[in-house]
Amino acid sequence: MSDAALAETERNYGGQPGSFVVLALGKFGGHELAEGSDLDLMLVYDASEENAGAAGEFYTRLTQRLISALTAPTEEGALYDIDTKLRPSGSKGPVAVRLSSFERYYAEEAWTWEMQALTRLRAIAGDDGLASRVAAVSHAALARARETAKTFADVADMRGRMDRERPSRSVWDLKLAPGGFVDIEFIAQALQLTHAAHGPEVLSANTGDALLRLEAAGTLSADMSARLLQAWCLWSDLQQLFRISIAGEFSPDNAPPPLLARLATMIGAPEAEMEARVREIQTEVRADFVRIVGAPGDGATTGIWAYGNPVGSFNGADPSNPENDATGGAVRSFEAVAQATPQATADTFGTSINGTTSPENNYVVDGLSRSNAGFGVNGAGLSIEFVREVNVLTGGYMPEFGAA
């Protein structure tokens, strides 16, 4: 498909001014797709300095053409749902990412949740040479030494935010339920991020393979590895069965008898005890998550300070930092300016604008986003003497954990 998109783009705009590679992330990157999963994609290109401007325009058009082809409607419906928000800066960044920008972003700007997403990156189309260079850049970013306690706190806090913002609908919500897919994926990703610096062999885009590699490296105990892997395989099998068998959410109360019989066999429990068994496995997985990463929501949380008064909360604010606390002067946090926006209120994480949650906020300074995409707060402390206008937009939140 990428070859056809390239041919069409070259026919309309001339030969390509460099090279490109199409990257898969999320479940697509990890070879973990289920029926109905969306495809997380990113396009990275490289070109000489003299062709930089033309290359950006060309590969943006190529990316748009590729997305159009992959989402084309057919008699059976759209081919695929495509998500490109896992690229650097998410929906606010260019759809085609230059290699130098890709490298700089993951070396200097990416948040922990973005590094988690990077663990599942793999090349699927395009130039082989560029694919190797992207893989090397990604490997270097993942294998960089990082503080274990902070990484675990970030991952635990993100999981806690998901528990609060997107609570599971039932025990059969295999993705979001405590002890479901997300817990297992986060364990694998957190351990990879904190151990790859001295053991890069633990890196793998596939969750199951990553668990095995972590066990082989001595990072994960054999019993935990076996328990997590068995749960991950069971959730994968059940998810696939649900998606090809029923429309919407699964409920044993209205499921056909043949499906219930099949589920009982897969779960290894009588029909009357299936839900209890699933809940038992989820409890075990969540306990492993707490033992390894920490209790969800344990990330350090303090107030947003404006003239010494907390007006909300977000991860990492430090009231001892003059950028955040201006008790003795005219400086206050940038987020506090947004608090003055009409219909703005303080919510769990910061400032809610007109009913949105604070993680959906997008802070723009001189036309450039300065957001911490993980928490919906400004990514750099600013003095209000230098702020003339605040634009607060709404956008997606945690694309890695959207439809999958």
Side-chain angles (χ1 to χ4, degrees):
M1 192 73 81
S2 63
D3 290 340
L6 175 61
E8 179 70 15
T9 306
E10 288 186 319
R11 183 161 51 250
N12 291 324
Y13 303 104
Q16 65 168 321
S19 59
F20 75 95
V21 61
V22 181
L23 307 169
L25 298 102
K27 288 188 178 294
F28 190 19
H31 296 279
E32 302 170 24
L33 289 178
E35 174 69 21
S37 292
D38 60 3
L39 305 184
D40 291 294
L41 295 177
M42 183 192 308
L43 186 142
V44 172
Y45 70 91
D46 194 29
S48 63
E49 285 298 329
E50 55 267 29
N51 290 330
E57 184 175 353
F58 180 92
Y59 290 111
T60 294
R61 287 169 170 159
L62 172 61
T63 304
Q64 293 167 339
R65 185 69 190 89
L66 177 61
I67 294 172
S68 295
L70 290 171
T71 57
T74 70
E75 292 182 355
E76 301 297 327
L79 288 177
Y80 300 101
D81 291 325
I82 303 297
D83 192 339
T84 62
K85 292 192 294 295
L86 289 180
R87 65 188 187 272
S89 298
S91 58
K92 299 177 289 294
V95 295
V97 184
R98 192 177 181 185
L99 178 61
S100 57
S101 298
F102 178 92
E103 181 173 14
R104 181 172 58 255
Y105 187 85
Y106 287 106
E108 302 174 3
E109 301 180 37
W111 298 92
T112 299
W113 72 266
E114 293 177 296
M115 300 306 299
Q116 290 178 249
L118 192 65
T119 64
R120 306 175 88 177
L121 179 143
R122 67 182 175 95
I124 56 173
D127 183 80
D128 291 339
L130 182 56
S132 297
R133 293 167 64 193
V134 169
V137 169
S138 173
H139 186 279
L142 293 171
R144 185 176 67 248
R146 47 181 48 88
E147 184 182 345
T148 298
K150 181 183 184 305
T151 300
F152 282 175
D154 287 348
V155 174
D157 187 65
M158 182 62 76
R159 187 63 183 107
R161 290 172 186 273
M162 294 181 69
D163 283 343
R164 295 187 295 270
E165 291 291 306
R166 301 180 58 202
S168 58
R169 297 177 292 275
S170 75
V171 67
W172 299 104
D173 187 344
L174 301 175
K175 177 180 178 179
L176 295 174
F181 272 122
V182 174
D183 277 17
I184 300 172
E185 292 165 359
F186 275 26
I187 289 171
Q189 292 160 7
L191 290 176
Q192 288 180 89
L193 290 177
T194 53
H195 289 79
H198 56 265
E201 67 276 4
V202 302
L203 294 174
S204 176
N206 179 268
T207 302
D209 185 52
L211 293 173
L212 293 174
R213 288 170 177 256
L214 289 163
E215 179 190 352
T219 302
L220 192 62
S221 67
D223 59 334
M224 278 191 180
S225 174
R227 184 163 52 245
L228 293 170
L229 190 59
Q230 289 171 5
W232 179 74
C233 289
L234 178 58
W235 302 158
S236 299
D237 290 343
L238 292 178
Q239 182 185 66
Q240 186 75 309
L241 180 63
F242 290 157
R243 291 191 176 183
I244 64 176
S245 302
I246 58 176
E249 299 179 17
F250 170 78
S251 171
D253 296 335
N254 52 29
L259 177 57
L260 292 176
R262 177 60 178 156
L263 286 175
T265 300
M266 294 172 68
I267 295 170
E271 291 182 18
E273 300 175 13
M274 290 190 307
E275 184 166 322
R277 178 55 183 151
V278 168
R279 199 178 298 275
E280 178 184 5
I281 297 172
Q282 290 173 338
T283 300
E284 293 172 349
V285 170
R286 173 50 66 95
D288 284 340
F289 182 95
V290 173
R291 280 192 288 266
I292 296 170
V293 179
D298 272 358
T301 303
T302 58
I304 295 177
W305 290 73
Y307 296 105
N309 300 314
V311 295
S313 64
F314 74 102
N315 183 281
D318 180 5
S320 67
N321 184 334
E323 298 287 3
N324 294 325
D325 183 7
T327 306
V331 180
R332 63 180 180 180
S333 70
F334 190 52
E335 290 80 19
V337 182
Q339 186 72 20
T341 303
Q343 300 187 45
T345 58
D347 68 7
T348 305
F349 311 126
T351 302
S352 170
I353 306 296
N354 197 27
T356 66
T357 59
S358 55
E360 295 178 287
N361 295 342
N362 173 28
Y363 294 91
V364 178
V365 181
D366 289 339
L368 298 176
S369 172
R370 299 300 302 169
S371 292
N372 172 342
F375 304 120
V377 297
N378 185 48
L382 292 173
S383 165
I384 62 169
E385 290 98 330
F386 303 103
V387 178
R388 296 182 180 178
E389 179 181 0
V390 177
N391 296 318
V392 183
L393 311 176
T394 59
Y397 175 40
M398 298 189 303
E400 161 70 356
F401 314 113

